[in-house]
Amino acid sequence: MADIVREIERKYAATDETRLPDLTGVDRVAAVVARGVEHLDAVYYDTADQRLAGAGITLRRRTGGRDAGWHLKLPVAPEEGAGTEPGRTRDEVRAPLSDTPPPELTALVRARVLGRELVPVVRLRTRRTVRVLQDAAGAPLAEVAVDAVRAQRTAPAPAKRGGGPAQARWCEIEVELAGAGEGGAALLDAVGRALAAAGIRPAGAASKLARALAETETGTAGGSGDAVRAPGGGKAGRAAGGPGRDAAAGTAGDIVLRYVREQVRVIVELDPAVRRELPDSVHRMRVATRRLRSAFRSYAKVLDRVVTDPLGVELRWLAGELGVARDREVLAARLRAGLAELPRPLRHGPVAARLRGWSRRSHRGARREVLATLDGARYLALLEALDALVDDPPLLKAAARPAPETLARAVRKDYRRLAGRVTAALAAPAGPGRDQALHSARKAAKRTRYAAEAAVPALGRPAETFVRRTKRVQQVLGDHQDSVVARAALRELAVQAHRAGEAGFTFGLLYGREEARAADRERELPDVWRQVSPAGLRARSGA
């Protein structure tokens, strides 16, 4: 089983002559304790075209020091209030030493490498001098490491085909929090100010690997690191959301491609999060697949359906596979919340225990299915196809037209489809037929909302207002559908309880409350729907 450590650090440029200032008294630092010198030897693995480096991911095999083993570092999105200086927050997933990359780590980068071989690309040998910043109680706050680094290519750089491995040397300072507790960002800021006062500046490279790849590729060595460029700006970088041909978006194709690339980036980035079972990761990945599929359908005049329709089928399959886990998760939370709202005298029998057992069984089964999906050939083929699409998008003639007119027309078309479904649902008699009609309207509301989201850069505030109001319709319809699903689950649970000789009263009571909740949503829908209008989009587009 791999261990996971949250790494929060900042890097600073240094030379052989750089001397650290006294950091005692900085923020909560009461003492600076020397911990000696470590000799680290790390070999970094990547694909030949540096797909991991292009995504800010590192995979290394390191010996020496206190944490010898395999380390996979995955970027973590910065949080608000994370400090004023540029820093780097990553989750470091660790595995014991072995001769080849461990399967538990390679699985986490499968969506990046797409079947390509992971090979040694750079070897870094570091002489690390470590000092520990401690508080008044002697607890470690952070580590300050002065690193003298020697880098050597173990494989030719992509831009230097046929050349031998190059080398580079440099020094840097690394300040890493000892934990992720409160005040960490403030401590890093204070240390950064103290270093700046001593003439020590932030490093130009985000990581040792980024600098090693850049300097051994260009042949420069021993620089200050102020102008090191990050690798991975090619196909893999664009697929991950990096700048491509649409950097100066202005046409319909520019806007739609920006949205499409963003959804592909989210899917790929969330793959390791879903595998690690991080909170909300399945839901966010599923939403990205739906947004992408909706974009293909809504903007069929921009992107050729000959290419996107087969991808839409696969995206629908992926969303369905992810939905098994997500729907069970949402349903279990809803049933638990409903039970918690009931007064104790109305909870007859072991209702909570039965619900917990049902939820655990559902979760285990759904988890296995999700992992099987992500490890399957069909999913990998879909990622390959999406990678090819963002690299060479199938643009149609309309893609070259001005974005406001083309995108507003597509959003209005989706709105008309939604309006027809809402009208039909409101006119349907109560019962399963109306429930299905409302669910159909919900799906149309999602598609309309996603189309408008993609158009916001071209249509501005009217589109934002339209998105917000359409989302409210979607939420009302979603709560109604969740009630339909919850009632089906409660019937199942009540039957199980009856067969076990348990009272079914509480399940019946919860069922009745769900019926009342659905009726409330049906009464609420007409007023919410009346607020949705594409009139502003029409005026903005000039159509």
Side-chain angles (χ1 to χ4, degrees), residues 259-260 262-263 266-267 283-299 315 319 446-447 449-451 453-454 467 471:
Y259 188 78
V260 165
E262 173 63 12
Q263 306 320 311
V266 171
I267 291 171
H283 170 62
R284 291 165 57 206
M285 190 177 191
R286 188 187 187 192
V287 168
T289 64
R290 286 176 163 173
R291 282 184 166 129
L292 187 53
R293 179 169 174 255
S294 291
F296 289 159
R297 298 170 71 187
S298 297
Y299 296 110
L315 288 167
K446 284 185 181 180
R447 175 170 164 178
R449 170 193 161 193
Y450 295 154
E453 280 181 351
V467 167
K471 182 178 180 180

PDB file of all heavy atoms in Angstrom, residues 259-260 262-263 266-267 283-299 315 319 446-447 449-451 453-454 467 471:
ATOM      1  N   TYR A 259     -13.243  25.493 -24.554  1.00  0.00           N
ATOM      2  CA  TYR A 259     -14.122  24.774 -23.630  1.00  0.00           C
ATOM      3  C   TYR A 259     -13.868  23.274 -23.694  1.00  0.00           C
ATOM      4  O   TYR A 259     -13.780  22.588 -22.661  1.00  0.00           O
ATOM      5  CB  TYR A 259     -15.575  25.081 -23.969  1.00  0.00           C
ATOM      6  CG  TYR A 259     -16.586  24.561 -22.975  1.00  0.00           C
ATOM      7  CD1 TYR A 259     -16.802  25.220 -21.769  1.00  0.00           C
ATOM      8  CD2 TYR A 259     -17.336  23.426 -23.246  1.00  0.00           C
ATOM      9  CE1 TYR A 259     -17.740  24.756 -20.859  1.00  0.00           C
ATOM     10  CE2 TYR A 259     -18.278  22.946 -22.345  1.00  0.00           C
ATOM     11  CZ  TYR A 259     -18.475  23.620 -21.156  1.00  0.00           C
ATOM     12  OH  TYR A 259     -19.408  23.151 -20.251  1.00  0.00           O
ATOM     13  N   VAL A 260     -13.738  22.737 -24.906  1.00  0.00           N
ATOM     14  CA  VAL A 260     -13.489  21.306 -25.076  1.00  0.00           C
ATOM     15  C   VAL A 260     -12.177  20.907 -24.427  1.00  0.00           C
ATOM     16  O   VAL A 260     -12.091  19.921 -23.696  1.00  0.00           O
ATOM     17  CB  VAL A 260     -13.495  20.945 -26.580  1.00  0.00           C
ATOM     18  CG1 VAL A 260     -12.874  19.569 -26.812  1.00  0.00           C
ATOM     19  CG2 VAL A 260     -14.917  20.984 -27.128  1.00  0.00           C
ATOM     20  N   GLU A 262     -10.626  22.336 -22.032  1.00  0.00           N
ATOM     21  CA  GLU A 262     -10.733  22.431 -20.577  1.00  0.00           C
ATOM     22  C   GLU A 262     -11.371  21.173 -20.000  1.00  0.00           C
ATOM     23  O   GLU A 262     -10.926  20.644 -18.971  1.00  0.00           O
ATOM     24  CB  GLU A 262     -11.539  23.660 -20.187  1.00  0.00           C
ATOM     25  CG  GLU A 262     -11.865  23.779 -18.707  1.00  0.00           C
ATOM     26  CD  GLU A 262     -10.627  23.928 -17.825  1.00  0.00           C
ATOM     27  OE1 GLU A 262      -9.522  24.173 -18.344  1.00  0.00           O
ATOM     28  OE2 GLU A 262     -10.773  23.773 -16.598  1.00  0.00           O
ATOM     29  N   GLN A 263     -12.416  20.652 -20.640  1.00  0.00           N
ATOM     30  CA  GLN A 263     -13.068  19.452 -20.131  1.00  0.00           C
ATOM     31  C   GLN A 263     -12.164  18.230 -20.252  1.00  0.00           C
ATOM     32  O   GLN A 263     -12.135  17.387 -19.356  1.00  0.00           O
ATOM     33  CB  GLN A 263     -14.403  19.207 -20.866  1.00  0.00           C
ATOM     34  CG  GLN A 263     -15.370  20.365 -20.861  1.00  0.00           C
ATOM     35  CD  GLN A 263     -15.426  21.104 -19.535  1.00  0.00           C
ATOM     36  OE1 GLN A 263     -15.553  20.496 -18.469  1.00  0.00           O
ATOM     37  NE2 GLN A 263     -15.343  22.429 -19.595  1.00  0.00           N
ATOM     38  N   VAL A 266      -9.728  18.409 -17.429  1.00  0.00           N
ATOM     39  CA  VAL A 266     -10.320  18.037 -16.142  1.00  0.00           C
ATOM     40  C   VAL A 266     -10.441  16.523 -16.028  1.00  0.00           C
ATOM     41  O   VAL A 266     -10.120  15.937 -14.980  1.00  0.00           O
ATOM     42  CB  VAL A 266     -11.695  18.716 -15.977  1.00  0.00           C
ATOM     43  CG1 VAL A 266     -12.425  18.159 -14.756  1.00  0.00           C
ATOM     44  CG2 VAL A 266     -11.530  20.225 -15.849  1.00  0.00           C
ATOM     45  N   ILE A 267     -10.889  15.863 -17.079  1.00  0.00           N
ATOM     46  CA  ILE A 267     -11.023  14.405 -17.045  1.00  0.00           C
ATOM     47  C   ILE A 267      -9.685  13.753 -16.740  1.00  0.00           C
ATOM     48  O   ILE A 267      -9.574  12.881 -15.873  1.00  0.00           O
ATOM     49  CB  ILE A 267     -11.590  13.892 -18.383  1.00  0.00           C
ATOM     50  CG1 ILE A 267     -13.048  14.332 -18.549  1.00  0.00           C
ATOM     51  CG2 ILE A 267     -11.499  12.366 -18.454  1.00  0.00           C
ATOM     52  CD1 ILE A 267     -13.620  14.062 -19.921  1.00  0.00           C
ATOM     53  N   HIS A 283     -17.721  12.748  -9.004  1.00  0.00           N
ATOM     54  CA  HIS A 283     -18.748  13.679  -9.473  1.00  0.00           C
ATOM     55  C   HIS A 283     -18.172  14.675 -10.467  1.00  0.00           C
ATOM     56  O   HIS A 283     -18.748  14.908 -11.546  1.00  0.00           O
ATOM     57  CB  HIS A 283     -19.344  14.416  -8.277  1.00  0.00           C
ATOM     58  CG  HIS A 283     -20.237  15.562  -8.643  1.00  0.00           C
ATOM     59  ND1 HIS A 283     -21.390  15.403  -9.368  1.00  0.00           N
ATOM     60  CD2 HIS A 283     -20.117  16.905  -8.411  1.00  0.00           C
ATOM     61  CE1 HIS A 283     -21.964  16.581  -9.552  1.00  0.00           C
ATOM     62  NE2 HIS A 283     -21.208  17.491  -8.990  1.00  0.00           N
ATOM     63  N   ARG A 284     -17.023  15.256 -10.144  1.00  0.00           N
ATOM     64  CA  ARG A 284     -16.438  16.264 -11.033  1.00  0.00           C
ATOM     65  C   ARG A 284     -16.007  15.662 -12.364  1.00  0.00           C
ATOM     66  O   ARG A 284     -16.161  16.276 -13.427  1.00  0.00           O
ATOM     67  CB  ARG A 284     -15.258  16.926 -10.339  1.00  0.00           C
ATOM     68  CG  ARG A 284     -15.660  17.801  -9.154  1.00  0.00           C
ATOM     69  CD  ARG A 284     -14.470  18.147  -8.285  1.00  0.00           C
ATOM     70  NE  ARG A 284     -13.417  18.805  -9.053  1.00  0.00           N
ATOM     71  CZ  ARG A 284     -12.133  18.779  -8.721  1.00  0.00           C
ATOM     72  NH1 ARG A 284     -11.739  18.094  -7.650  1.00  0.00           N
ATOM     73  NH2 ARG A 284     -11.246  19.412  -9.448  1.00  0.00           N
ATOM     74  N   MET A 285     -15.485  14.442 -12.333  1.00  0.00           N
ATOM     75  CA  MET A 285     -15.091  13.792 -13.573  1.00  0.00           C
ATOM     76  C   MET A 285     -16.321  13.482 -14.430  1.00  0.00           C
ATOM     77  O   MET A 285     -16.308  13.653 -15.654  1.00  0.00           O
ATOM     78  CB  MET A 285     -14.331  12.503 -13.261  1.00  0.00           C
ATOM     79  CG  MET A 285     -13.671  11.859 -14.469  1.00  0.00           C
ATOM     80  SD  MET A 285     -12.724  10.400 -13.955  1.00  0.00           S
ATOM     81  CE  MET A 285     -11.824  10.056 -15.469  1.00  0.00           C
ATOM     82  N   ARG A 286     -17.376  13.049 -13.791  1.00  0.00           N
ATOM     83  CA  ARG A 286     -18.611  12.757 -14.524  1.00  0.00           C
ATOM     84  C   ARG A 286     -19.185  14.022 -15.155  1.00  0.00           C
ATOM     85  O   ARG A 286     -19.641  14.007 -16.302  1.00  0.00           O
ATOM     86  CB  ARG A 286     -19.620  12.131 -13.565  1.00  0.00           C
ATOM     87  CG  ARG A 286     -20.880  11.611 -14.240  1.00  0.00           C
ATOM     88  CD  ARG A 286     -21.868  11.177 -13.183  1.00  0.00           C
ATOM     89  NE  ARG A 286     -23.023  10.513 -13.736  1.00  0.00           N
ATOM     90  CZ  ARG A 286     -24.124  10.241 -13.046  1.00  0.00           C
ATOM     91  NH1 ARG A 286     -24.188  10.585 -11.769  1.00  0.00           N
ATOM     92  NH2 ARG A 286     -25.151   9.637 -13.616  1.00  0.00           N
ATOM     93  N   VAL A 287     -19.154  15.119 -14.410  1.00  0.00           N
ATOM     94  CA  VAL A 287     -19.657  16.386 -14.957  1.00  0.00           C
ATOM     95  C   VAL A 287     -18.838  16.808 -16.172  1.00  0.00           C
ATOM     96  O   VAL A 287     -19.384  17.289 -17.171  1.00  0.00           O
ATOM     97  CB  VAL A 287     -19.639  17.481 -13.870  1.00  0.00           C
ATOM     98  CG1 VAL A 287     -19.881  18.863 -14.483  1.00  0.00           C
ATOM     99  CG2 VAL A 287     -20.692  17.189 -12.809  1.00  0.00           C
ATOM    100  N   ALA A 288     -17.514  16.630 -16.101  1.00  0.00           N
ATOM    101  CA  ALA A 288     -16.664  16.996 -17.244  1.00  0.00           C
ATOM    102  C   ALA A 288     -17.009  16.170 -18.477  1.00  0.00           C
ATOM    103  O   ALA A 288     -17.028  16.685 -19.599  1.00  0.00           O
ATOM    104  CB  ALA A 288     -15.192  16.835 -16.882  1.00  0.00           C
ATOM    105  N   THR A 289     -17.283  14.876 -18.289  1.00  0.00           N
ATOM    106  CA  THR A 289     -17.660  14.047 -19.436  1.00  0.00           C
ATOM    107  C   THR A 289     -18.975  14.521 -20.028  1.00  0.00           C
ATOM    108  O   THR A 289     -19.149  14.540 -21.253  1.00  0.00           O
ATOM    109  CB  THR A 289     -17.773  12.562 -19.042  1.00  0.00           C
ATOM    110  OG1 THR A 289     -18.825  12.391 -18.089  1.00  0.00           O
ATOM    111  CG2 THR A 289     -16.484  12.055 -18.446  1.00  0.00           C
ATOM    112  N   ARG A 290     -19.903  14.915 -19.168  1.00  0.00           N
ATOM    113  CA  ARG A 290     -21.196  15.400 -19.664  1.00  0.00           C
ATOM    114  C   ARG A 290     -21.058  16.746 -20.361  1.00  0.00           C
ATOM    115  O   ARG A 290     -21.698  16.996 -21.386  1.00  0.00           O
ATOM    116  CB  ARG A 290     -22.183  15.505 -18.494  1.00  0.00           C
ATOM    117  CG  ARG A 290     -22.681  14.153 -18.006  1.00  0.00           C
ATOM    118  CD  ARG A 290     -23.574  14.305 -16.800  1.00  0.00           C
ATOM    119  NE  ARG A 290     -24.368  13.100 -16.570  1.00  0.00           N
ATOM    120  CZ  ARG A 290     -25.135  12.915 -15.500  1.00  0.00           C
ATOM    121  NH1 ARG A 290     -25.190  13.859 -14.567  1.00  0.00           N
ATOM    122  NH2 ARG A 290     -25.828  11.806 -15.364  1.00  0.00           N
ATOM    123  N   ARG A 291     -20.248  17.618 -19.802  1.00  0.00           N
ATOM    124  CA  ARG A 291     -20.022  18.910 -20.452  1.00  0.00           C
ATOM    125  C   ARG A 291     -19.408  18.727 -21.836  1.00  0.00           C
ATOM    126  O   ARG A 291     -19.794  19.399 -22.793  1.00  0.00           O
ATOM    127  CB  ARG A 291     -19.105  19.774 -19.586  1.00  0.00           C
ATOM    128  CG  ARG A 291     -19.791  20.418 -18.399  1.00  0.00           C
ATOM    129  CD  ARG A 291     -18.837  21.332 -17.659  1.00  0.00           C
ATOM    130  NE  ARG A 291     -19.548  22.201 -16.741  1.00  0.00           N
ATOM    131  CZ  ARG A 291     -19.237  22.362 -15.454  1.00  0.00           C
ATOM    132  NH1 ARG A 291     -18.222  21.703 -14.945  1.00  0.00           N
ATOM    133  NH2 ARG A 291     -19.933  23.178 -14.692  1.00  0.00           N
ATOM    134  N   LEU A 292     -18.457  17.815 -21.918  1.00  0.00           N
ATOM    135  CA  LEU A 292     -17.787  17.590 -23.194  1.00  0.00           C
ATOM    136  C   LEU A 292     -18.766  17.015 -24.214  1.00  0.00           C
ATOM    137  O   LEU A 292     -18.810  17.462 -25.364  1.00  0.00           O
ATOM    138  CB  LEU A 292     -16.615  16.636 -22.975  1.00  0.00           C
ATOM    139  CG  LEU A 292     -15.677  16.390 -24.151  1.00  0.00           C
ATOM    140  CD1 LEU A 292     -15.153  17.701 -24.714  1.00  0.00           C
ATOM    141  CD2 LEU A 292     -14.522  15.497 -23.715  1.00  0.00           C
ATOM    142  N   ARG A 293     -19.534  16.048 -23.804  1.00  0.00           N
ATOM    143  CA  ARG A 293     -20.514  15.451 -24.717  1.00  0.00           C
ATOM    144  C   ARG A 293     -21.561  16.487 -25.151  1.00  0.00           C
ATOM    145  O   ARG A 293     -21.952  16.540 -26.337  1.00  0.00           O
ATOM    146  CB  ARG A 293     -21.197  14.272 -24.021  1.00  0.00           C
ATOM    147  CG  ARG A 293     -22.257  13.573 -24.863  1.00  0.00           C
ATOM    148  CD  ARG A 293     -22.675  12.266 -24.207  1.00  0.00           C
ATOM    149  NE  ARG A 293     -23.776  11.662 -24.928  1.00  0.00           N
ATOM    150  CZ  ARG A 293     -25.044  11.663 -24.515  1.00  0.00           C
ATOM    151  NH1 ARG A 293     -25.361  12.258 -23.362  1.00  0.00           N
ATOM    152  NH2 ARG A 293     -25.994  11.098 -25.221  1.00  0.00           N
ATOM    153  N   SER A 294     -21.993  17.315 -24.210  1.00  0.00           N
ATOM    154  CA  SER A 294     -22.964  18.357 -24.550  1.00  0.00           C
ATOM    155  C   SER A 294     -22.388  19.353 -25.538  1.00  0.00           C
ATOM    156  O   SER A 294     -23.074  19.810 -26.451  1.00  0.00           O
ATOM    157  CB  SER A 294     -23.425  19.084 -23.281  1.00  0.00           C
ATOM    158  OG  SER A 294     -24.201  18.235 -22.465  1.00  0.00           O
ATOM    159  N   ALA A 295     -21.114  19.697 -25.358  1.00  0.00           N
ATOM    160  CA  ALA A 295     -20.472  20.634 -26.292  1.00  0.00           C
ATOM    161  C   ALA A 295     -20.443  20.062 -27.699  1.00  0.00           C
ATOM    162  O   ALA A 295     -20.690  20.769 -28.683  1.00  0.00           O
ATOM    163  CB  ALA A 295     -19.058  20.968 -25.817  1.00  0.00           C
ATOM    164  N   PHE A 296     -20.143  18.784 -27.826  1.00  0.00           N
ATOM    165  CA  PHE A 296     -20.127  18.156 -29.137  1.00  0.00           C
ATOM    166  C   PHE A 296     -21.506  18.239 -29.793  1.00  0.00           C
ATOM    167  O   PHE A 296     -21.626  18.490 -30.997  1.00  0.00           O
ATOM    168  CB  PHE A 296     -19.717  16.685 -29.022  1.00  0.00           C
ATOM    169  CG  PHE A 296     -18.268  16.476 -28.676  1.00  0.00           C
ATOM    170  CD1 PHE A 296     -17.838  15.277 -28.120  1.00  0.00           C
ATOM    171  CD2 PHE A 296     -17.321  17.474 -28.888  1.00  0.00           C
ATOM    172  CE1 PHE A 296     -16.508  15.067 -27.802  1.00  0.00           C
ATOM    173  CE2 PHE A 296     -15.980  17.274 -28.574  1.00  0.00           C
ATOM    174  CZ  PHE A 296     -15.583  16.066 -28.020  1.00  0.00           C
ATOM    175  N   ARG A 297     -22.555  18.041 -28.996  1.00  0.00           N
ATOM    176  CA  ARG A 297     -23.917  18.018 -29.551  1.00  0.00           C
ATOM    177  C   ARG A 297     -24.423  19.438 -29.828  1.00  0.00           C
ATOM    178  O   ARG A 297     -25.043  19.689 -30.852  1.00  0.00           O
ATOM    179  CB  ARG A 297     -24.848  17.286 -28.586  1.00  0.00           C
ATOM    180  CG  ARG A 297     -24.451  15.827 -28.377  1.00  0.00           C
ATOM    181  CD  ARG A 297     -25.214  15.179 -27.251  1.00  0.00           C
ATOM    182  NE  ARG A 297     -26.607  14.945 -27.582  1.00  0.00           N
ATOM    183  CZ  ARG A 297     -27.511  14.510 -26.711  1.00  0.00           C
ATOM    184  NH1 ARG A 297     -27.168  14.310 -25.447  1.00  0.00           N
ATOM    185  NH2 ARG A 297     -28.756  14.300 -27.080  1.00  0.00           N
ATOM    186  N   SER A 298     -24.173  20.340 -28.894  1.00  0.00           N
ATOM    187  CA  SER A 298     -24.680  21.705 -29.063  1.00  0.00           C
ATOM    188  C   SER A 298     -23.963  22.443 -30.187  1.00  0.00           C
ATOM    189  O   SER A 298     -24.565  23.255 -30.893  1.00  0.00           O
ATOM    190  CB  SER A 298     -24.533  22.495 -27.757  1.00  0.00           C
ATOM    191  OG  SER A 298     -25.310  21.931 -26.723  1.00  0.00           O
ATOM    192  N   TYR A 299     -22.691  22.174 -30.361  1.00  0.00           N
ATOM    193  CA  TYR A 299     -21.895  22.901 -31.342  1.00  0.00           C
ATOM    194  C   TYR A 299     -21.497  22.004 -32.513  1.00  0.00           C
ATOM    195  O   TYR A 299     -20.361  21.995 -32.965  1.00  0.00           O
ATOM    196  CB  TYR A 299     -20.681  23.524 -30.658  1.00  0.00           C
ATOM    197  CG  TYR A 299     -21.096  24.555 -29.638  1.00  0.00           C
ATOM    198  CD1 TYR A 299     -20.951  24.323 -28.281  1.00  0.00           C
ATOM    199  CD2 TYR A 299     -21.693  25.750 -30.050  1.00  0.00           C
ATOM    200  CE1 TYR A 299     -21.376  25.266 -27.347  1.00  0.00           C
ATOM    201  CE2 TYR A 299     -22.118  26.680 -29.123  1.00  0.00           C
ATOM    202  CZ  TYR A 299     -21.958  26.439 -27.772  1.00  0.00           C
ATOM    203  OH  TYR A 299     -22.392  27.369 -26.856  1.00  0.00           O
ATOM    204  N   LEU A 315     -18.301   8.840 -24.323  1.00  0.00           N
ATOM    205  CA  LEU A 315     -18.431   9.699 -23.153  1.00  0.00           C
ATOM    206  C   LEU A 315     -19.696   9.377 -22.370  1.00  0.00           C
ATOM    207  O   LEU A 315     -19.708   9.414 -21.131  1.00  0.00           O
ATOM    208  CB  LEU A 315     -18.431  11.169 -23.584  1.00  0.00           C
ATOM    209  CG  LEU A 315     -17.083  11.710 -24.058  1.00  0.00           C
ATOM    210  CD1 LEU A 315     -17.276  13.053 -24.761  1.00  0.00           C
ATOM    211  CD2 LEU A 315     -16.118  11.873 -22.889  1.00  0.00           C
ATOM    212  N   ALA A 319     -19.673   8.289 -18.496  1.00  0.00           N
ATOM    213  CA  ALA A 319     -20.504   8.962 -17.492  1.00  0.00           C
ATOM    214  C   ALA A 319     -21.409   7.964 -16.782  1.00  0.00           C
ATOM    215  O   ALA A 319     -21.631   8.054 -15.566  1.00  0.00           O
ATOM    216  CB  ALA A 319     -21.334  10.061 -18.153  1.00  0.00           C
ATOM    217  N   LYS A 446     -29.508  20.624 -18.445  1.00  0.00           N
ATOM    218  CA  LYS A 446     -28.057  20.492 -18.329  1.00  0.00           C
ATOM    219  C   LYS A 446     -27.374  20.859 -19.643  1.00  0.00           C
ATOM    220  O   LYS A 446     -26.395  21.617 -19.667  1.00  0.00           O
ATOM    221  CB  LYS A 446     -27.686  19.060 -17.943  1.00  0.00           C
ATOM    222  CG  LYS A 446     -27.912  18.703 -16.503  1.00  0.00           C
ATOM    223  CD  LYS A 446     -27.392  17.294 -16.242  1.00  0.00           C
ATOM    224  CE  LYS A 446     -27.619  16.897 -14.793  1.00  0.00           C
ATOM    225  NZ  LYS A 446     -27.116  15.539 -14.513  1.00  0.00           N
ATOM    226  N   ARG A 447     -27.886  20.301 -20.723  1.00  0.00           N
ATOM    227  CA  ARG A 447     -27.262  20.570 -22.021  1.00  0.00           C
ATOM    228  C   ARG A 447     -27.317  22.053 -22.358  1.00  0.00           C
ATOM    229  O   ARG A 447     -26.334  22.637 -22.833  1.00  0.00           O
ATOM    230  CB  ARG A 447     -27.963  19.745 -23.098  1.00  0.00           C
ATOM    231  CG  ARG A 447     -27.471  20.049 -24.506  1.00  0.00           C
ATOM    232  CD  ARG A 447     -28.011  19.060 -25.493  1.00  0.00           C
ATOM    233  NE  ARG A 447     -27.873  19.532 -26.863  1.00  0.00           N
ATOM    234  CZ  ARG A 447     -28.236  18.842 -27.933  1.00  0.00           C
ATOM    235  NH1 ARG A 447     -28.763  17.625 -27.788  1.00  0.00           N
ATOM    236  NH2 ARG A 447     -28.099  19.330 -29.142  1.00  0.00           N
ATOM    237  N   ARG A 449     -27.561  24.580 -20.256  1.00  0.00           N
ATOM    238  CA  ARG A 449     -26.673  25.301 -19.343  1.00  0.00           C
ATOM    239  C   ARG A 449     -25.217  25.159 -19.784  1.00  0.00           C
ATOM    240  O   ARG A 449     -24.470  26.139 -19.810  1.00  0.00           O
ATOM    241  CB  ARG A 449     -26.847  24.748 -17.934  1.00  0.00           C
ATOM    242  CG  ARG A 449     -25.813  25.247 -16.943  1.00  0.00           C
ATOM    243  CD  ARG A 449     -25.851  24.430 -15.679  1.00  0.00           C
ATOM    244  NE  ARG A 449     -24.623  24.565 -14.915  1.00  0.00           N
ATOM    245  CZ  ARG A 449     -24.281  23.772 -13.901  1.00  0.00           C
ATOM    246  NH1 ARG A 449     -25.063  22.770 -13.556  1.00  0.00           N
ATOM    247  NH2 ARG A 449     -23.147  23.959 -13.262  1.00  0.00           N
ATOM    248  N   TYR A 450     -24.803  23.948 -20.133  1.00  0.00           N
ATOM    249  CA  TYR A 450     -23.424  23.734 -20.546  1.00  0.00           C
ATOM    250  C   TYR A 450     -23.096  24.487 -21.837  1.00  0.00           C
ATOM    251  O   TYR A 450     -21.993  25.030 -21.991  1.00  0.00           O
ATOM    252  CB  TYR A 450     -23.141  22.244 -20.721  1.00  0.00           C
ATOM    253  CG  TYR A 450     -23.234  21.431 -19.442  1.00  0.00           C
ATOM    254  CD1 TYR A 450     -23.540  20.072 -19.479  1.00  0.00           C
ATOM    255  CD2 TYR A 450     -23.016  22.015 -18.199  1.00  0.00           C
ATOM    256  CE1 TYR A 450     -23.623  19.324 -18.311  1.00  0.00           C
ATOM    257  CE2 TYR A 450     -23.103  21.283 -17.035  1.00  0.00           C
ATOM    258  CZ  TYR A 450     -23.409  19.930 -17.096  1.00  0.00           C
ATOM    259  OH  TYR A 450     -23.492  19.198 -15.941  1.00  0.00           O
ATOM    260  N   ALA A 451     -24.045  24.518 -22.760  1.00  0.00           N
ATOM    261  CA  ALA A 451     -23.825  25.268 -24.003  1.00  0.00           C
ATOM    262  C   ALA A 451     -23.621  26.750 -23.695  1.00  0.00           C
ATOM    263  O   ALA A 451     -22.759  27.414 -24.281  1.00  0.00           O
ATOM    264  CB  ALA A 451     -25.000  25.078 -24.957  1.00  0.00           C
ATOM    265  N   GLU A 453     -22.550  27.995 -20.812  1.00  0.00           N
ATOM    266  CA  GLU A 453     -21.272  28.137 -20.121  1.00  0.00           C
ATOM    267  C   GLU A 453     -20.130  28.294 -21.122  1.00  0.00           C
ATOM    268  O   GLU A 453     -19.254  29.147 -20.958  1.00  0.00           O
ATOM    269  CB  GLU A 453     -21.004  26.898 -19.265  1.00  0.00           C
ATOM    270  CG  GLU A 453     -21.729  26.865 -17.949  1.00  0.00           C
ATOM    271  CD  GLU A 453     -21.402  25.616 -17.157  1.00  0.00           C
ATOM    272  OE1 GLU A 453     -20.752  24.694 -17.708  1.00  0.00           O
ATOM    273  OE2 GLU A 453     -21.804  25.543 -15.978  1.00  0.00           O
ATOM    274  N   ALA A 454     -20.147  27.460 -22.147  1.00  0.00           N
ATOM    275  CA  ALA A 454     -19.088  27.527 -23.154  1.00  0.00           C
ATOM    276  C   ALA A 454     -19.100  28.864 -23.878  1.00  0.00           C
ATOM    277  O   ALA A 454     -18.058  29.351 -24.327  1.00  0.00           O
ATOM    278  CB  ALA A 454     -19.248  26.391 -24.161  1.00  0.00           C
ATOM    279  N   VAL A 467     -27.021  31.228 -17.651  1.00  0.00           N
ATOM    280  CA  VAL A 467     -26.476  30.021 -17.017  1.00  0.00           C
ATOM    281  C   VAL A 467     -27.017  29.887 -15.600  1.00  0.00           C
ATOM    282  O   VAL A 467     -27.450  28.805 -15.183  1.00  0.00           O
ATOM    283  CB  VAL A 467     -24.934  30.060 -17.006  1.00  0.00           C
ATOM    284  CG1 VAL A 467     -24.370  28.983 -16.073  1.00  0.00           C
ATOM    285  CG2 VAL A 467     -24.380  29.883 -18.402  1.00  0.00           C
ATOM    286  N   LYS A 471     -29.432  26.908 -14.447  1.00  0.00           N
ATOM    287  CA  LYS A 471     -28.938  26.004 -13.400  1.00  0.00           C
ATOM    288  C   LYS A 471     -29.976  25.833 -12.303  1.00  0.00           C
ATOM    289  O   LYS A 471     -30.147  24.732 -11.759  1.00  0.00           O
ATOM    290  CB  LYS A 471     -27.634  26.550 -12.806  1.00  0.00           C
ATOM    291  CG  LYS A 471     -27.034  25.648 -11.741  1.00  0.00           C
ATOM    292  CD  LYS A 471     -25.712  26.224 -11.222  1.00  0.00           C
ATOM    293  CE  LYS A 471     -25.113  25.315 -10.152  1.00  0.00           C
ATOM    294  NZ  LYS A 471     -23.824  25.852  -9.634  1.00  0.00           N
TER     295      LYS A 471
END
